[in-house]
Amino acid sequence: MPLKYPVVPHFYYNSLIEKYSFGPKHPLKPERVDRTLRLLNAIAPVEVIDVPSATREDALRCHDEDYIDAIQSFSETWEGEDALTDDQQLIRHEFGLYGDNPPFRGMYEASLGYLGATVAAANAVKDGANLAFAITGGLHHAQRRLASGFCIFDDPAIACDILLDRFDRVAYVDIDVHAGDGVQWIHYDNPRVLTCSIHEEGKTLYPGTCWPEETGTEFSSLNVPIQAHTTGDVWLDAFRQGILPGLEKYQPQAIVLQLGTDTHHLDPLGHINSTAQEWLAAVTDIKALGLPIVATGGGGYNLTTVPRMWVAAILTLANIPFQNEIPEHLQQPLGAKTIFDDALPEPRNTGRPYAESVISWLKTNHHPNIRP
Ligand SMILES: [Zn+2]
């Protein structure tokens, strides 16, 4: 008998993500994924494929050996800051293992765990799948030898590298409210990866970089910063005029898509006022390019918005139609009645002049220089 609904394909997960925590205040909470799966399963069945952890070789694709060694060493021996020798303090600071990214016991295994799901998704697309998900991934701030912004291993950068085993040109598209700086710096000198990021500008939000002038080798780094309090209508226009023409010019053969949901106006970390539907329109545009996609998660820290935005993106990418209404038994637990937002943040059209100046700069100085 045919299934009532198509199953969401290639959905990869590694349960060690539940051990990936920098402490009780750490905002990347596992509930984000639990709630997403509950909502997803109530609309379309998803076969979650539990995959092995990534290997050291996978991490070595985009990270230096001494960085990986330091992660492993602190992971095995960490007993708190007071127990460190002076040498260990130096190493810790060299690799960014403080502030938002303090070491914790089991950090190495947990990091290889979340990386495993993204590696499996990237390998699926490398092997011919048209679409694969690693919704626990998208940790886009880690650099080659620097932990940053809650990120240890840069799984989207590694996904791009895996796709290069098969494709000549890969694009990375990042719609998180924070800039995809780690992916940019890791691939900055590699013209076979076009990194694209639309984000709140660095004057008001971490990480403070990814300006339009950071163009990468052969213009393979494309940045669209927008101002705090910009509304989703302007955000979407900036995406369509800033990112899409670059992608069309570059003609990638596959895409790694980072689905950060923290552009939503209810998100506690970012200051962009988009709605679920405006954000989803960018996802729909990427799908319309008709290319193989590795879709990762990303930021998003409001538990009433992340599940519905991720579910909308997953179903849209998988071509599974859905209703706006959230099934009744989940409305109270998820704190929302509908997938999309009823009320639009007011006033509309906020942040337009700044966005237009960025687009104008890109049209003159960047898009014309992008080469396939
Ligand atoms: Zn973010």
Side-chain angles (χ1 to χ4, degrees), residues 174-207:
D174 188 320
I175 57 173
D176 195 286
V177 77
H178 301 91
D181 61 328
V183 186
Q184 164 171 298
W185 298 128
I186 285 171
H187 291 296
Y188 202 67
D189 295 319
N190 185 357
R192 291 178 63 204
V193 180
L194 177 73
T195 60
C196 309
S197 178
I198 179 166
H199 47 264
E200 181 178 335
E201 63 167 340
K203 276 184 204 155
T204 47
L205 194 69
Y206 176 88

Side-chain angles (χ1 to χ4, degrees), residues 34 45 52 66 74 84 95 114 121 127 140 166 176 210 212 250 272 274 282 297 306 318 334 337 340 347 350:
D34 293 347
D66 54 349
F74 283 120
L84 294 179
F95 295 126
Y114 77 72
D127 294 341
H140 58 168
R166 169 168 178 190
D176 195 286
C210 295
Y250 186 70
I272 298 301
S274 91
V306 179
L334 295 182
K337 291 188 169 161
F340 298 124
T350 299

Side-chain angles (χ1 to χ4, degrees), residues 1-30:
M1 203 173 83
L3 283 168
K4 193 174 169 199
Y5 297 103
V7 174
V8 174
H10 291 288
F11 198 95
Y12 296 98
Y13 182 81
N14 177 300
S15 56
L16 280 171
I17 187 72
E18 290 151 28
K19 302 237 181 321
Y20 188 74
S21 172
F22 296 100
K25 289 188 185 157
H26 177 56
L28 282 175
K29 296 187 188 311

Side-chain angles (χ1 to χ4, degrees), residues 8-275:
V8 174
H10 291 288
F11 198 95
Y12 296 98
Y13 182 81
N14 177 300
S15 56
L16 280 171
I17 187 72
E18 290 151 28
K19 302 237 181 321
Y20 188 74
S21 172
F22 296 100
K25 289 188 185 157
H26 177 56
L28 282 175
K29 296 187 188 311
E31 292 103 289
R32 306 185 319 143
V33 176
D34 293 347
R35 287 174 176 229
T36 300
L37 288 176
R38 279 178 78 185
L39 179 56
L40 195 51
N41 275 312
I43 300 173
V46 54
E47 188 192 345
V48 177
I49 305 165
D50 205 336
V51 292
S53 294
T55 63
R56 186 181 178 83
E57 284 64 42
D58 294 321
L60 275 167
R61 280 178 175 271
C62 290
H63 296 284
D64 288 353
E65 190 141 35
D66 54 349
Y67 173 71
I68 299 171
D69 287 343
I71 302 293
Q72 185 171 14
S73 169
F74 283 120
S75 174
E76 286 167 0
T77 61
W78 182 253
E79 285 180 2
E81 190 162 349
D82 296 344
L84 294 179
T85 65
D86 288 351
D87 274 359
Q88 285 172 320
Q89 282 285 16
L90 283 176
I91 292 170
R92 177 187 177 205
H93 281 87
E94 178 182 355
F95 295 126
L97 296 168
Y98 58 93
D100 286 340
N101 334 288
F104 60 92
R105 282 274 179 151
M107 175 173 67
Y108 181 63
E109 288 75 17
S111 302
L112 288 178
Y114 77 72
L115 179 56
T118 304
V119 165
N123 278 328
V125 168
K126 178 176 122 179
D127 294 341
N130 231 359
L131 175 65
F133 296 99
I135 207 69
T136 50
L139 281 78
H140 58 168
H141 296 305
Q143 300 180 28
R144 191 165 283 281
R145 45 193 294 110
L146 192 70
S148 188
F150 315 123
C151 307
I152 300 293
F153 294 141
D154 198 314
D155 63 286
I158 291 168
C160 292
D161 195 70
I162 290 171
L163 294 182
L164 289 181
D165 291 350
R166 169 168 178 190
F167 301 102
D168 289 332
R169 287 180 313 284
V170 172
Y172 171 69
V173 181
D174 188 320
I175 57 173
D176 195 286
V177 77
H178 301 91
D181 61 328
V183 186
Q184 164 171 298
W185 298 128
I186 285 171
H187 291 296
Y188 202 67
D189 295 319
N190 185 357
R192 291 178 63 204
V193 180
L194 177 73
T195 60
C196 309
S197 178
I198 179 166
H199 47 264
E200 181 178 335
E201 63 167 340
K203 276 184 204 155
T204 47
L205 194 69
Y206 176 88
T209 56
C210 295
W211 300 98
E213 296 80 6
E214 295 164 28
T215 56
T217 298
E218 296 181 23
F219 295 88
S220 64
S221 175
L222 177 55
N223 288 301
V224 183
I226 55 173
Q227 272 179 320
H229 313 300
T230 296
T231 40
D233 47 350
V234 174
W235 177 87
L236 182 58
D237 286 347
F239 174 82
R240 288 180 166 160
Q241 294 175 49
I243 302 283
L244 284 183
L247 282 172
E248 281 156 11
K249 193 94 191 286
Y250 186 70
Q251 296 176 29
Q253 294 151 322
I255 288 179
V256 175
L257 175 59
Q258 201 268 19
L259 294 166
T261 60
D262 40 13
T263 48
H264 195 276
H265 68 95
L266 293 176
D267 192 86
L269 264 59
H271 317 97
I272 298 301
N273 290 327
S274 91
T275 59

